[in-house]
Amino acid sequence: MMLVEEGKPLYLFGLDLGQAHDFTAISILQQIGKQPAHYHLRHLERYPLKTSYQLIADNVASLTRREELAKQRWVLIADATAVGRPVVDMLKRLELKPVAVTITAGFEVTRVTGREFRVPKRDLVSTLRMLLDDSRLKIAEGLPHSQTLVEELLNFRLKI
C-alpha cells in the first residue's frame, strides 16, 4: 500500500487519541531505507489530559508545517477509533489528508475507502514487536516521554 510518492525521506506522523483518562500522543518516525526499512523516532509528544481535540488538530497541523518537514514526504496516520472520527474530520478540514485507522478486534486489515482502514490490534502489536525485536525501531533516549513509551511497550501484553 503506497500512500505517498517516491523520492525524499518519508516521515510518519502517528496520532493516538485518548479520551478523558487516556493521554493523546503524537509521534513522528523517519523511515530509513527500504526493504527492510528502519525507523527512527524523531518526535514524541503527550498532550495533557482534557486538551481539546481542536487544539490537538491545530498542533498537528503546525508540526507538519515545520520548516524541516514542510518540504519532505510525510503521511499522517490518525486513530479513528471511538472519539477519533470527529478528530479525523478536523484534520481533513485542515487539509492534512489523514489516513484514518480504526482499531478492531478482527482478523484482517480492511480498506474502507482510499484513506480509511480497519486494522486488528494484534496486527499493530505484532508489527511493533517485530520492529523492536529486529532492532529496526530506534527510540532516542533524550526525547521527552521516551522512557514512558519504553516502559509502556515493555508492559504491553497481547491477548488473543
Side-chain angles (χ1 to χ4, degrees), residues 47-122:
Y47 298 93
L49 292 175
K50 300 183 182 175
T51 301
S52 80
Y53 293 126
Q54 186 62 60
L55 185 62
I56 290 166
D58 291 342
N59 180 258
V60 170
S62 70
L63 285 172
T64 66
R65 294 180 183 114
R66 286 175 29 186
E67 186 177 336
E68 64 270 24
L69 293 170
K71 295 180 181 173
Q72 300 295 335
R73 292 181 313 131
W74 57 266
V75 63
L76 169 60
I77 302 163
D79 175 7
T81 311
V83 298
R85 173 57 43 206
V87 179
V88 166
D89 291 341
M90 287 178 198
L91 297 168
K92 286 178 182 176
R93 283 193 296 276
L94 293 169
E95 299 180 5
L96 296 179
K97 300 178 185 172
V99 174
V101 173
T102 301
I103 301 169
T104 71
F107 296 101
E108 63 184 19
V109 175
T110 306
R111 186 177 215 150
V112 179
T113 66
R115 298 183 73 82
E116 185 177 347
F117 297 85
R118 295 192 199 305
V119 180
K121 186 173 187 174
R122 69 182 187 141

Side-chain angles (χ1 to χ4, degrees), residues 16-25 46-50 152:
D16 178 26
L17 294 159
Q19 295 185 49
H21 302 291
D22 298 320
F23 289 96
T24 291
R46 189 180 239 191
Y47 298 93
L49 292 175
K50 300 183 182 175
E152 287 177 353

Side-chain angles (χ1 to χ4, degrees), residues 8-59:
K8 301 174 200 154
L10 175 62
Y11 291 85
L12 302 165
F13 288 68
L15 180 60
D16 178 26
L17 294 159
Q19 295 185 49
H21 302 291
D22 298 320
F23 289 96
T24 291
I26 179 102
S27 61
I28 302 174
L29 292 166
Q30 181 183 9
Q31 180 178 320
I32 309 293
K34 297 180 183 179
Q35 308 301 327
H38 287 71
Y39 301 90
H40 292 191
L41 184 60
R42 301 291 188 199
H43 180 87
L44 184 60
E45 191 171 344
R46 189 180 239 191
Y47 298 93
L49 292 175
K50 300 183 182 175
T51 301
S52 80
Y53 293 126
Q54 186 62 60
L55 185 62
I56 290 166
D58 291 342
N59 180 258

Side-chain angles (χ1 to χ4, degrees), residues 124-145:
L124 297 172
V125 173
S126 61
T127 299
L128 180 58
R129 171 164 251 137
M130 179 193 63
L131 290 172
L132 289 168
D133 288 347
D134 293 348
S135 298
R136 291 176 39 217
L137 174 59
K138 304 291 184 191
I139 301 171
E141 290 181 23
L143 282 177
H145 307 293

